[in-house]
Amino acid sequence: MKTSRRRFLKYSAAALLLPAAAQCAASGQSAAHPVRMGAPLFFSDEDPPAWARRARELGYGAVYVPDCRLDDRARIDAITAAAEKEDIVIAEVGRWVNLADRDPEKRKKNLEYVTEGLALAEELNARCCVDIAGSMAEEPWFGPDPGNLTEDFFDLAVENARKIIDAVKPRRTKFAYEMSGWAYPCDVDSYLRLIEAIDRPQFGVHVDICNAVNDPWKFWGTAALINDIFDRLGDRILSCHAKDIRWVAEKNIHFVECVCGEGSVDWATALRRLASLPADVPLMIEHMSGEAEYLRSRDYLQRTARENGVEIFGWEDRVL
Protein backbone atom coordinates (compact mmCIF):
# COMPACT_ATOMS: atom_id res chain seq x y z
CA MET A 1 0.00 0.00 0.00
CA LYS A 2 1.38 3.37 -0.93
CA THR A 3 2.18 5.87 1.83
CA SER A 4 -0.41 8.39 0.63
CA ARG A 5 -3.09 5.69 0.67
CA ARG A 6 -2.17 4.65 4.22
CA ARG A 7 -2.32 8.26 5.40
CA PHE A 8 -5.68 8.75 3.72
CA LEU A 9 -7.10 5.76 5.56
CA LYS A 10 -5.63 6.93 8.86
CA TYR A 11 -6.80 10.53 8.66
CA SER A 12 -9.71 10.15 6.25
CA ALA A 13 -12.64 12.51 6.20
CA ALA A 14 -14.80 9.48 6.95
CA ALA A 15 -13.83 9.87 10.60
CA LEU A 16 -15.62 13.20 10.58
CA LEU A 17 -18.87 11.57 9.46
CA LEU A 18 -19.25 9.36 12.52
CA PRO A 19 -21.99 10.59 14.86
CA ALA A 20 -20.68 12.01 18.11
CA ALA A 21 -22.06 9.14 20.19
CA ALA A 22 -20.55 6.55 17.86
CA GLN A 23 -17.12 8.20 18.02
CA CYS A 24 -17.24 8.26 21.80
CA ALA A 25 -18.35 4.65 22.03
CA ALA A 26 -15.73 3.53 19.53
CA SER A 27 -12.93 5.03 21.61
CA GLY A 28 -14.34 3.69 24.88
CA GLN A 29 -14.27 7.20 26.38
CA SER A 30 -16.72 8.89 28.72
CA ALA A 31 -16.75 12.32 30.26
CA ALA A 32 -15.07 11.81 33.63
CA HIS A 33 -14.59 15.40 34.77
CA PRO A 34 -15.24 18.98 33.65
CA VAL A 35 -12.82 20.62 31.24
CA ARG A 36 -10.95 23.66 32.56
CA MET A 37 -11.03 26.27 29.82
CA GLY A 38 -8.94 29.46 29.90
CA ALA A 39 -7.85 32.45 27.85
CA PRO A 40 -6.22 35.87 28.22
CA LEU A 41 -8.42 37.94 30.53
CA PHE A 42 -7.92 41.48 29.19
CA PHE A 43 -7.93 42.49 32.85
CA SER A 44 -5.16 43.85 35.08
CA ASP A 45 -3.29 41.28 37.16
CA GLU A 46 -1.94 43.89 39.59
CA ASP A 47 -4.53 42.79 42.15
CA PRO A 48 -4.33 38.97 42.17
CA PRO A 49 -7.65 38.37 44.00
CA ALA A 50 -9.56 40.60 41.55
CA TRP A 51 -7.71 38.99 38.63
CA ALA A 52 -8.65 35.48 39.81
CA ARG A 53 -12.29 36.49 40.37
CA ARG A 54 -12.44 37.88 36.84
CA ALA A 55 -11.29 34.54 35.45
CA ARG A 56 -14.19 32.78 37.21
CA GLU A 57 -16.66 35.47 36.10
CA LEU A 58 -15.69 34.72 32.50
CA GLY A 59 -16.33 31.02 33.02
CA TYR A 60 -12.67 30.03 33.11
CA GLY A 61 -11.10 27.43 35.35
CA ALA A 62 -7.54 28.01 34.13
CA VAL A 63 -5.33 31.01 33.35
CA TYR A 64 -2.08 31.85 31.66
CA VAL A 65 0.70 32.91 33.99
CA PRO A 66 0.36 36.55 35.07
CA ASP A 67 3.30 38.94 35.10
CA CYS A 68 5.62 37.62 37.80
CA ARG A 69 9.33 37.39 38.61
CA LEU A 70 10.98 34.40 40.22
CA ASP A 71 12.57 36.59 42.91
CA ASP A 72 9.28 38.25 43.96
CA ARG A 73 8.16 35.95 46.76
CA ALA A 74 5.29 38.17 47.89
CA ARG A 75 3.87 38.32 44.37
CA ILE A 76 4.16 34.56 43.92
CA ASP A 77 2.38 33.94 47.22
CA ALA A 78 -0.39 36.41 46.35
CA ILE A 79 -1.00 34.80 42.95
CA THR A 80 -1.05 31.24 44.26
CA ALA A 81 -3.35 32.17 47.15
CA ALA A 82 -5.78 33.96 44.83
CA ALA A 83 -5.80 31.07 42.37
CA GLU A 84 -6.39 28.54 45.13
CA LYS A 85 -9.24 30.56 46.64
CA GLU A 86 -11.06 30.79 43.30
CA ASP A 87 -10.17 27.20 42.34
CA ILE A 88 -8.40 28.12 39.13
CA VAL A 89 -5.14 26.62 37.89
CA ILE A 90 -2.20 28.24 36.16
CA ALA A 91 -2.05 26.20 33.00
CA GLU A 92 1.36 27.12 31.73
CA VAL A 93 4.36 29.40 31.95
CA GLY A 94 5.18 30.13 28.31
CA ARG A 95 8.79 30.79 27.39
CA TRP A 96 8.66 31.42 23.66
CA VAL A 97 12.30 31.64 22.60
CA ASN A 98 14.54 29.73 20.21
CA LEU A 99 16.35 26.92 22.02
CA ALA A 100 18.01 25.94 18.74
CA ASP A 101 19.30 29.39 17.78
CA ARG A 102 22.35 29.17 15.53
CA ASP A 103 24.11 31.81 17.67
CA PRO A 104 25.65 29.99 20.70
CA GLU A 105 25.34 33.04 22.96
CA LYS A 106 21.68 33.59 22.12
CA ARG A 107 21.01 29.89 22.55
CA LYS A 108 22.67 29.95 25.99
CA LYS A 109 20.60 32.95 27.11
CA ASN A 110 17.42 31.37 25.82
CA LEU A 111 18.19 28.16 27.69
CA GLU A 112 18.67 30.16 30.90
CA TYR A 113 15.38 32.00 30.29
CA VAL A 114 13.43 28.76 29.84
CA THR A 115 15.12 27.21 32.89
CA GLU A 116 14.02 30.24 34.93
CA GLY A 117 10.51 29.72 33.51
CA LEU A 118 10.40 26.13 34.75
CA ALA A 119 11.55 27.29 38.20
CA LEU A 120 8.76 29.90 38.18
CA ALA A 121 6.22 27.28 37.13
CA GLU A 122 7.34 25.17 40.09
CA GLU A 123 6.86 28.06 42.52
CA LEU A 124 3.43 28.92 41.08
CA ASN A 125 2.33 25.29 40.95
CA ALA A 126 1.62 25.70 37.25
CA ARG A 127 0.84 22.63 35.20
CA CYS A 128 3.89 23.16 32.99
CA CYS A 129 6.51 25.42 31.49
CA VAL A 130 6.34 25.23 27.71
CA ASP A 131 8.42 26.28 24.73
CA ILE A 132 8.90 24.90 21.25
CA ALA A 133 12.06 22.90 20.64
CA GLY A 134 13.18 25.81 18.45
CA SER A 135 14.21 26.27 14.85
CA MET A 136 17.34 26.55 12.73
CA ALA A 137 15.66 29.35 10.77
CA GLU A 138 17.00 32.87 11.09
CA GLU A 139 13.76 34.69 10.27
CA PRO A 140 11.30 34.24 11.78
CA TRP A 141 12.94 32.57 14.74
CA PHE A 142 10.31 29.80 14.81
CA GLY A 143 10.13 29.34 11.05
CA PRO A 144 10.57 26.31 8.79
CA ASP A 145 14.07 25.13 7.99
CA PRO A 146 15.41 21.82 6.63
CA GLY A 147 17.62 21.59 9.70
CA ASN A 148 14.58 21.25 11.96
CA LEU A 149 14.00 17.64 10.95
CA THR A 150 17.56 16.38 11.27
CA GLU A 151 19.12 14.11 13.86
CA ASP A 152 21.28 16.99 15.06
CA PHE A 153 18.15 19.03 15.83
CA PHE A 154 16.56 16.05 17.60
CA ASP A 155 19.67 15.52 19.70
CA LEU A 156 19.77 19.21 20.64
CA ALA A 157 16.11 19.10 21.69
CA VAL A 158 16.89 16.14 23.93
CA GLU A 159 19.96 17.83 25.42
CA ASN A 160 18.12 21.09 26.11
CA ALA A 161 15.15 19.40 27.80
CA ARG A 162 17.46 17.39 30.04
CA LYS A 163 19.48 20.48 31.01
CA ILE A 164 16.35 22.48 31.85
CA ILE A 165 14.77 19.71 33.91
CA ASP A 166 17.96 18.68 35.70
CA ALA A 167 18.73 22.29 36.67
CA VAL A 168 15.34 22.77 38.36
CA LYS A 169 14.42 19.24 39.44
CA PRO A 170 10.72 20.14 39.64
CA ARG A 171 8.39 18.16 41.87
CA ARG A 172 5.04 19.87 41.17
CA THR A 173 5.33 20.93 37.54
CA LYS A 174 6.82 19.65 34.30
CA PHE A 175 8.50 20.86 31.14
CA ALA A 176 7.05 20.34 27.67
CA TYR A 177 7.68 21.10 24.03
CA GLU A 178 4.68 22.34 22.10
CA MET A 179 3.90 20.46 18.90
CA SER A 180 5.17 22.13 15.74
CA GLY A 181 4.25 21.69 12.10
CA TRP A 182 7.82 21.74 10.84
CA ALA A 183 10.15 20.83 13.70
CA TYR A 184 10.34 18.02 16.24
CA PRO A 185 8.00 17.13 17.83
CA CYS A 186 5.80 17.36 14.72
CA ASP A 187 3.61 14.28 15.26
CA VAL A 188 2.85 11.53 17.75
CA ASP A 189 5.70 9.29 16.63
CA SER A 190 8.36 11.99 17.03
CA TYR A 191 6.89 13.00 20.39
CA LEU A 192 7.09 9.44 21.66
CA ARG A 193 10.66 9.21 20.42
CA LEU A 194 11.55 12.42 22.27
CA ILE A 195 9.93 11.20 25.48
CA GLU A 196 11.97 8.02 25.36
CA ALA A 197 15.23 9.81 24.52
CA ILE A 198 14.83 12.58 27.14
CA ASP A 199 14.03 9.92 29.73
CA ARG A 200 12.80 12.25 32.46
CA PRO A 201 9.44 11.84 34.28
CA GLN A 202 9.28 15.65 34.49
CA PHE A 203 8.98 15.90 30.69
CA GLY A 204 5.42 15.93 29.39
CA VAL A 205 3.31 16.72 26.35
CA HIS A 206 1.79 20.00 25.23
CA VAL A 207 -0.93 19.57 22.62
CA ASP A 208 -1.76 22.07 19.90
CA ILE A 209 -4.08 20.36 17.42
CA CYS A 210 -3.71 23.07 14.79
CA ASN A 211 0.09 22.85 14.91
CA ALA A 212 -0.19 19.12 14.22
CA VAL A 213 -2.22 19.75 11.06
CA ASN A 214 0.52 19.98 8.43
CA ASP A 215 -0.94 18.16 5.43
CA PRO A 216 -4.34 17.73 3.69
CA TRP A 217 -5.02 14.31 5.22
CA LYS A 218 -4.81 15.71 8.74
CA PHE A 219 -6.77 18.84 7.79
CA TRP A 220 -9.71 16.76 6.61
CA GLY A 221 -9.29 14.10 9.29
CA THR A 222 -8.85 15.97 12.55
CA ALA A 223 -11.05 13.51 14.47
CA ALA A 224 -8.66 10.67 13.65
CA LEU A 225 -5.67 12.91 14.37
CA ILE A 226 -7.08 13.93 17.76
CA ASN A 227 -7.86 10.33 18.71
CA ASP A 228 -4.33 9.27 17.74
CA ILE A 229 -2.84 12.03 19.92
CA PHE A 230 -4.97 11.18 22.93
CA ASP A 231 -4.71 7.41 22.49
CA ARG A 232 -0.91 7.41 22.51
CA LEU A 233 0.05 10.54 24.45
CA GLY A 234 -2.93 11.04 26.75
CA ASP A 235 -1.28 10.06 30.03
CA ARG A 236 1.52 12.60 29.42
CA ILE A 237 -0.59 15.60 28.33
CA LEU A 238 -0.17 18.67 30.56
CA SER A 239 -1.94 21.51 28.75
CA CYS A 240 -3.63 22.17 25.40
CA HIS A 241 -4.08 25.17 23.13
CA ALA A 242 -7.38 25.97 21.47
CA LYS A 243 -7.89 27.69 18.14
CA ASP A 244 -9.07 26.52 14.74
CA ILE A 245 -7.56 26.20 11.27
CA ARG A 246 -8.93 26.88 7.81
CA TRP A 247 -7.61 26.38 4.30
CA VAL A 248 -7.04 29.40 2.05
CA ALA A 249 -7.43 28.20 -1.55
CA GLU A 250 -4.24 28.95 -3.46
CA LYS A 251 -1.92 27.04 -5.80
CA ASN A 252 -0.01 25.82 -2.76
CA ILE A 253 -1.21 24.64 0.64
CA HIS A 254 -1.96 27.58 2.92
CA PHE A 255 -3.51 26.92 6.34
CA VAL A 256 -4.36 29.86 8.63
CA GLU A 257 -5.54 30.05 12.22
CA CYS A 258 -9.06 31.23 13.00
CA VAL A 259 -11.76 31.41 15.67
CA CYS A 260 -12.84 28.09 17.15
CA GLY A 261 -15.74 26.69 15.15
CA GLU A 262 -14.75 28.43 11.91
CA GLY A 263 -12.24 25.83 10.74
CA SER A 264 -11.75 22.09 10.36
CA VAL A 265 -10.90 21.04 13.94
CA ASP A 266 -13.36 18.52 15.38
CA TRP A 267 -13.75 20.17 18.77
CA ALA A 268 -16.49 17.75 19.81
CA THR A 269 -13.98 14.91 19.70
CA ALA A 270 -11.26 16.99 21.35
CA LEU A 271 -13.50 18.05 24.24
CA ARG A 272 -14.69 14.51 24.88
CA ARG A 273 -11.15 13.21 24.90
CA LEU A 274 -9.99 16.00 27.24
CA ALA A 275 -12.81 15.27 29.67
CA SER A 276 -11.93 11.58 29.72
CA LEU A 277 -8.25 12.02 30.59
CA PRO A 278 -7.18 10.83 34.04
CA ALA A 279 -5.59 14.24 34.67
CA ASP A 280 -7.37 17.59 34.80
CA VAL A 281 -5.82 19.13 31.65
CA PRO A 282 -6.45 22.84 30.87
CA LEU A 283 -7.61 23.99 27.43
CA MET A 284 -6.23 27.46 26.70
CA ILE A 285 -7.58 29.62 23.87
CA GLU A 286 -4.82 31.49 22.05
CA HIS A 287 -3.93 33.60 19.01
CA MET A 288 -7.28 35.34 18.66
CA SER A 289 -7.45 38.89 17.32
CA GLY A 290 -8.77 40.80 20.31
CA GLU A 291 -11.12 40.10 23.20
CA ALA A 292 -14.24 39.64 21.05
CA GLU A 293 -12.71 36.71 19.16
CA TYR A 294 -11.61 35.08 22.41
CA LEU A 295 -15.17 35.29 23.70
CA ARG A 296 -16.54 33.86 20.44
CA SER A 297 -14.18 30.92 20.74
CA ARG A 298 -15.09 30.52 24.41
CA ASP A 299 -18.81 30.47 23.63
CA TYR A 300 -18.36 28.02 20.76
CA LEU A 301 -16.37 25.62 22.91
CA GLN A 302 -18.92 25.83 25.73
CA ARG A 303 -21.81 25.26 23.32
CA THR A 304 -20.04 22.31 21.67
CA ALA A 305 -19.21 20.83 25.06
CA ARG A 306 -22.83 21.05 26.21
CA GLU A 307 -24.08 19.44 22.98
CA ASN A 308 -21.68 16.53 23.54
CA GLY A 309 -22.27 15.87 27.21
CA VAL A 310 -19.06 17.55 28.41
CA GLU A 311 -19.07 20.00 31.31
CA ILE A 312 -16.93 23.14 31.27
CA PHE A 313 -15.60 23.81 34.77
CA GLY A 314 -17.13 26.87 36.43
CA TRP A 315 -19.33 27.87 33.50
CA GLU A 316 -22.59 27.89 35.42
CA ASP A 317 -21.03 30.02 38.17
CA ARG A 318 -20.03 32.88 35.89
CA VAL A 319 -21.46 36.36 36.40
CA LEU A 320 -21.35 38.42 33.20
Side-chain angles (χ1 to χ4, degrees):
M1 184 181 293
K2 294 182 179 180
T3 300
S4 60
R5 177 64 174 165
R6 289 198 300 268
R7 294 172 75 189
F8 178 77
L9 291 173
K10 184 175 182 180
Y11 298 115
S12 70
L16 296 173
L17 302 179
L18 279 174
Q23 286 189 24
C24 194
S27 63
Q29 304 297 321
S30 60
H33 54 72
V35 172
R36 286 183 179 269
M37 184 166 55
L41 303 184
F42 295 88
F43 187 86
S44 172
D45 59 21
E46 290 185 6
D47 181 350
W51 161 83
R53 285 195 301 272
R54 182 56 178 163
R56 290 301 302 272
E57 289 169 358
L58 289 169
Y60 297 143
V63 290
Y64 287 108
V65 64
D67 184 36
C68 185
R69 299 192 318 272
L70 183 59
D71 61 359
D72 192 341
R73 185 74 255 169
R75 172 84 168 155
I76 289 172
D77 290 344
I79 290 169
T80 54
E84 182 177 357
K85 181 178 180 181
E86 296 296 336
D87 194 8
I88 58 175
V89 301
I90 298 173
E92 57 193 60
V93 174
R95 284 294 188 259
W96 307 112
V97 293
N98 190 359
L99 289 171
D101 198 293
R102 291 180 182 271
D103 184 325
E105 282 302 312
K106 290 181 180 179
R107 189 166 65 245
K108 180 175 180 292
K109 289 180 180 179
N110 290 344
L111 187 67
E112 292 171 352
Y113 181 61
V114 179
T115 302
E116 183 267 347
L118 182 60
L120 180 60
E122 176 76 359
E123 293 299 319
L124 290 169
N125 197 23
R127 296 298 171 86
C128 66
C129 172
V130 59
D131 190 10
I132 61 171
S135 173
M136 305 300 288
E138 294 185 8
E139 186 64 32
W141 67 267
F142 54 84
D145 189 276
N148 295 351
L149 298 175
T150 64
E151 287 303 299
D152 286 344
F153 182 94
F154 183 91
D155 291 344
L156 180 61
V158 171
E159 178 186 348
N160 285 337
R162 286 177 171 177
K163 285 181 177 178
I164 292 165
I165 291 168
D166 292 349
V168 177
K169 296 181 175 61
R171 293 179 297 171
R172 301 192 298 172
T173 192
K174 295 186 179 183
F175 178 63
Y177 287 137
E178 184 182 46
M179 289 180 168
S180 175
W182 49 75
Y184 293 129
C186 57
D187 56 18
V188 175
D189 289 335
S190 60
Y191 225 136
L192 288 169
R193 187 177 167 221
L194 270 173
I195 290 169
E196 182 178 8
I198 292 167
D199 192 25
R200 299 290 189 276
Q202 301 96 329
F203 181 73
V205 171
H206 191 286
V207 172
D208 189 311
I209 297 164
C210 289
N211 287 7
V213 176
N214 54 11
D215 64 40
W217 294 272
K218 293 173 184 173
F219 180 87
W220 295 120
T222 59
L225 172 64
I226 291 163
N227 282 325
D228 188 39
I229 290 170
F230 281 83
D231 284 346
R232 296 201 283 159
L233 297 173
D235 62 341
R236 304 294 292 262
I237 296 174
L238 306 172
S239 186
C240 298
H241 281 167
K243 49 184 181 278
D244 219 317
I245 189 169
R246 62 184 178 87
W247 194 332
V248 178
E250 295 178 345
K251 293 295 183 181
N252 294 298
I253 295 173
H254 182 188
F255 300 147
V256 295
E257 296 176 352
C258 61
V259 173
C260 292
E262 298 180 6
S264 70
V265 174
D266 187 335
W267 278 109
T269 296
L271 287 162
R272 286 195 300 271
R273 297 306 304 264
L274 271 169
S276 68
L277 289 177
D280 183 12
V281 175
L283 177 65
M284 306 302 294
I285 306 169
E286 69 160 4
H287 292 181
M288 298 294 107
S289 179
E291 184 175 15
E293 286 196 354
Y294 278 101
L295 296 179
R296 280 167 55 197
S297 285
R298 177 202 67 175
D299 293 347
Y300 170 80
L301 292 170
Q302 165 57 19
R303 185 168 62 252
T304 302
R306 185 173 60 247
E307 291 170 354
N308 287 272
V310 175
E311 182 182 352
I312 298 292
F313 176 91
W315 183 260
E316 298 304 325
D317 297 335
R318 76 196 191 287
V319 179
L320 297 176

